[in-house]
Amino acid sequence: MSTSIPTTVDTVITALREGEKRWGETTLADRRTLLEQLHAGAAAHAAEWVAAAAAIKGLPADSPLLGEEWSSGPYTLLTSLAALAETVTALEAGRSPVDGFPVRPAPGGRTAVDVFPHGAYDWLLLNGFRAEVWSRPGVTAEDLRARAGLGLRTPRDTRGVAVVLGAGNIFSIAPLDVIYQLFADNRVAVLKLNPITDPLLPVLEKIFAPAIERGFVRVITGGAEVGSALVHHPDVAAVHMTGSAATHDAIVWGSGDEAARRKAEGKPLLDKPITSELGGVSPTVVVPGRWSRADLRYQAEHLVTQRLHNNGYNCIAAQVAVISADWAQKDAFLAELRAAIERAPARADYYPGSAGRVRSARAAYPQAQIIGGRTLIEGLRPVDSEQALRTEYFAPVLGVVELPGDTGEFLAEAVRVCNREFIGTLGMNIIADPRSIAELGAEFEAAVEQLRYGTIAINAWNGVGFLTARASWGAFPGHVLADIQSGVGVVHNALLIEDPERSVIRGPFRPAPRAVLNGEFTLSPKPPWFVTNRTQATTMRRLTDFAKRPRISALPGIFASALRG
């Protein structure tokens, strides 16, 4: 270890310990002001952020895929800061953050909060999409309201210094994790950037300047040695990380024979709490139905988006589609899937190790097809597809598992396979036409309840849950350090609901206007996050501008761009 690393780390932690004292003295009103200042900073430097992101990912200035950087960068941070400011306002007034949100019973003795849409702008901009947060079983509506607020309920009771180890794929993750440490856990925080994102340091320092100046936040760069010095520093109280399970285990248990021994003995190397978001292998269950040709094409593009957004470098990128071997339209859907992969715009493999992971997948499955540089593996079965179901490729590789049965029988088996055979519980998707959902009735809702995933998206990609500030984001509860899978804890969760179990996202099966013609009311056209959306960069730039300052006059331009997509 470089001799300068301990000195640098000591300096950072010492400054934050002083900042913690000031954080404990910071009133709710002043914390809300800080959120407003951070919002102003994110608004002012949004274009600089996206330009830096594009350079990291090799995206040309005129690429439609820049929409991904607007949506998963400044847009998400802006909407989260605004939602959290509303939560602080409620607590200032002596109200629960949940007040004003519909609360109702959910299956299995749970309580659900309808968190989206919230207000007319939500209803207009993502018409037809809904999001709800479910409590764990046994939590009543009264309990949920009383406990919402987390660390903001006792702001003077600070909880030390946290280390946040940032992600290298989606660039709003790290700043959002820092915000959660400050406001939910009542800790000051040092963010160590993933080396991939080091070029973002200047813009993040500008955005966080009001918090940095008061000693609440530090943002630093460095490799594994810096990360190790931070997490093991005696004055650090907690760690939060986003990354792989392998990286998590190296931090918690060490490496080599020592790690194996520690794990066997239940004696972790890390002697402080750690929360984490670690990904896994996310499935998309395609429920068989009677679809039109337009439905087949649209949902194939939907599935390809779930895999190829950010070139597959997403913790919840759909890695395996689960379809019915007995579906009369199976071959037609697979043909559309291949065509959609071919249509998806080419992009650079910027994430380290991607090519090697692709080679591993192709070597394991000789039937793999190479389509436009992407990999599609059809004809998988759970019994002989362990690598595809239990290895997160984090690359543009999509598998297709076939299960027997039609509709109800298939869905029941798909739930069993997703819960038992796939590694990870961060998120999954279900694609089902409204007629099939209606025919299944209670059987469909029971399947949703039985699935053990932190975010379940129905006719939507669970990435929409990431973009929804008030939805919770994290693994399904129950993982332990010795079997961490998708991690422990949640983030985002702008209502600061205590220990949510999952978020459930619902979207329209068809886009407007075709949806309306088929009896499904929605105003939303093809979503701007589709990789095949031709105007996603313009639409998401305009949505980000709207998030800076919501106003009616901005809506026509947003709608016009969205319709052209």
Side-chain angles (χ1 to χ4, degrees):
M1 182 184 293
S2 168
T3 55
S4 64
I5 290 176
T7 302
T8 300
V9 168
D10 280 343
T11 300
V12 167
I13 300 302
T14 297
L16 286 169
R17 290 190 66 191
E18 289 299 313
E20 182 191 359
K21 298 174 185 176
R22 288 189 289 276
W23 185 238
E25 297 164 356
T26 304
T27 65
L28 288 178
D30 287 339
R31 294 186 187 206
R32 174 174 46 78
T33 298
L34 176 62
L35 286 167
E36 292 165 353
Q37 292 170 338
L38 297 175
H39 189 278
H45 301 290
E48 180 184 350
W49 179 338
V50 171
I56 293 169
K57 297 185 179 183
L59 294 173
D62 60 351
S63 172
L65 294 173
L66 282 179
E68 296 180 359
E69 301 313 312
W70 286 104
S71 64
S72 64
Y75 172 81
T76 303
L77 181 59
L78 285 165
T79 54
S80 294
L81 291 168
L84 192 54
E86 290 187 19
T87 288
V88 179
T89 299
L91 291 166
E92 282 183 82
R95 296 182 284 108
S96 169
V98 176
D99 290 349
F101 291 81
V103 178
R104 54 184 173 74
R110 298 169 174 88
T111 297
V113 184
D114 292 336
V115 298
F116 189 94
H118 181 62
Y121 286 144
D122 283 354
W123 188 88
L124 287 168
L125 291 170
L126 278 178
N127 186 265
F129 287 85
R130 294 182 289 138
E132 54 200 41
V133 176
W134 290 15
S135 74
R136 300 191 191 197
V139 176
T140 67
E142 292 73 21
D143 291 338
L144 192 145
R145 285 192 177 93
R147 298 170 185 170
L150 300 179
L152 287 178
R153 299 187 67 82
T154 54
R156 298 190 66 85
D157 184 18
T158 58
R159 300 175 62 192
V161 177
V163 170
V164 173
L165 301 178
N169 58 333
I170 296 295
F171 296 159
S172 62
I173 292 176
L176 286 171
D177 291 348
V178 170
I179 295 297
Y180 204 74
Q181 289 295 322
L182 279 170
F183 287 86
D185 294 329
N186 211 20
R187 295 187 179 104
V188 295
V190 51
L191 166 62
K192 192 200 81 68
L193 295 176
N194 184 300
I196 294 172
T197 67
D198 283 355
L200 287 170
L201 177 64
V203 69
L204 291 178
E205 287 186 325
K206 292 173 186 175
I207 292 170
F208 277 102
I212 292 171
E213 290 165 2
R214 299 177 67 183
F216 304 153
V217 172
R218 288 289 185 272
V219 185
I220 66 173
T221 60
E225 287 186 337
V226 174
S228 179
L230 283 168
V231 301
H232 294 292
H233 193 283
D235 290 334
V236 164
V239 177
H240 178 82
M241 66 159 292
T242 301
S244 70
T247 300
H248 172 276
D249 284 356
I251 292 169
V252 172
W253 304 104
S255 58
D257 293 341
E258 178 200 15
R261 176 183 58 80
R262 286 181 175 279
K263 206 172 212 182
E265 296 174 356
K267 297 179 179 178
L269 177 65
L270 188 71
D271 62 351
K272 57 200 67 174
I274 179 171
T275 52
S276 51
E277 192 257 79
L278 306 175
V281 175
S282 291
T284 293
V285 173
V286 182
V287 178
R290 297 181 294 280
W291 298 3
S292 70
R293 184 174 179 180
D295 294 338
L296 292 165
R297 179 185 174 100
Y298 178 79
Q299 292 301 343
E301 290 189 5
H302 194 183
L303 178 54
V304 167
T305 291
Q306 293 169 8
R307 175 71 261 186
L308 294 183
H309 182 281
N310 200 33
N311 209 37
Y313 309 135
N314 285 335
C315 300
I316 37 76
Q319 182 165 305
V320 177
V322 182
I323 69 173
S324 170
D326 301 320
W327 184 21
Q329 294 180 294
K330 180 190 76 171
D331 291 340
F333 179 72
L334 291 176
E336 289 288 357
L337 187 63
R338 296 181 209 108
I341 293 172
E342 185 69 49
R343 288 195 302 274
R347 61 184 303 163
D349 294 338
Y350 80 91
Y351 205 88
S354 176
R357 293 188 293 274
V358 171
R359 285 194 298 270
S360 173
R362 292 175 181 174
Y365 300 103
Q367 76 270 36
Q369 305 167 57
I370 302 173
I371 305 173
R374 285 66 178 258
T375 302
L376 177 66
I377 309 168
E378 296 181 30
L380 298 176
R381 301 182 304 164
V383 294
D384 55 11
S385 304
E386 182 173 352
Q387 186 188 101
L389 274 60
R390 304 194 68 79
T391 301
E392 184 181 13
Y393 288 133
F394 216 68
V397 177
L398 176 64
V400 180
V401 162
E402 296 187 15
L403 301 177
D406 186 23
T407 317
E409 178 188 0
F410 162 80
L411 182 58
E413 179 64 5
V415 169
R416 187 194 70 80
V417 168
C418 290
N419 281 342
R420 297 185 184 181
E421 306 298 335
F422 284 72
I423 193 162
T425 65
L426 184 61
M428 62 89 62
N429 315 288
I430 303 173
I431 296 173
D433 68 277
R435 182 185 302 169
S436 295
I437 293 174
E439 289 173 353
L440 288 164
E443 195 174 350
F444 183 85
E445 296 305 322
V448 175
E449 179 196 359
Q450 291 160 16
L451 285 162
R452 296 195 298 271
Y453 286 87
T455 298
I456 300 169
I458 302 161
N459 291 330
W461 176 38
N462 53 32
V464 179
F466 179 91
L467 297 177
T468 303
R470 295 180 178 92
S472 58
W473 186 255
F476 194 82
H479 298 313
V480 294
L481 289 182
D483 183 23
I484 196 63
Q485 296 207 34
S486 290
V488 173
V490 300
V491 289
H492 301 196
N493 184 31
L495 294 180
L496 301 184
I497 294 169
E498 185 178 72
D499 292 329
E501 182 186 66
R502 72 182 85 182
S503 289
V504 180
I505 314 298
R506 300 176 194 260
F509 180 72
R510 302 175 180 92
R514 191 163 55 83
V516 178
L517 298 175
N518 285 272
E520 188 180 12
F521 182 75
T522 177
L523 301 178
S524 293
K526 178 192 287 187
W529 53 83
F530 268 42
V531 294
T532 51
N533 190 304
R534 296 168 297 177
T535 63
Q536 64 161 298
T538 301
T539 302
M540 288 313 309
R541 176 176 54 78
R542 291 178 179 177
L543 273 170
T544 303
D545 183 63
F546 178 84
K548 297 176 186 178
R549 186 171 63 86
R551 59 207 183 279
I552 293 175
S553 61
L555 297 179
I558 296 170
F559 294 152
S561 179
L563 288 168
R564 290 195 302 270

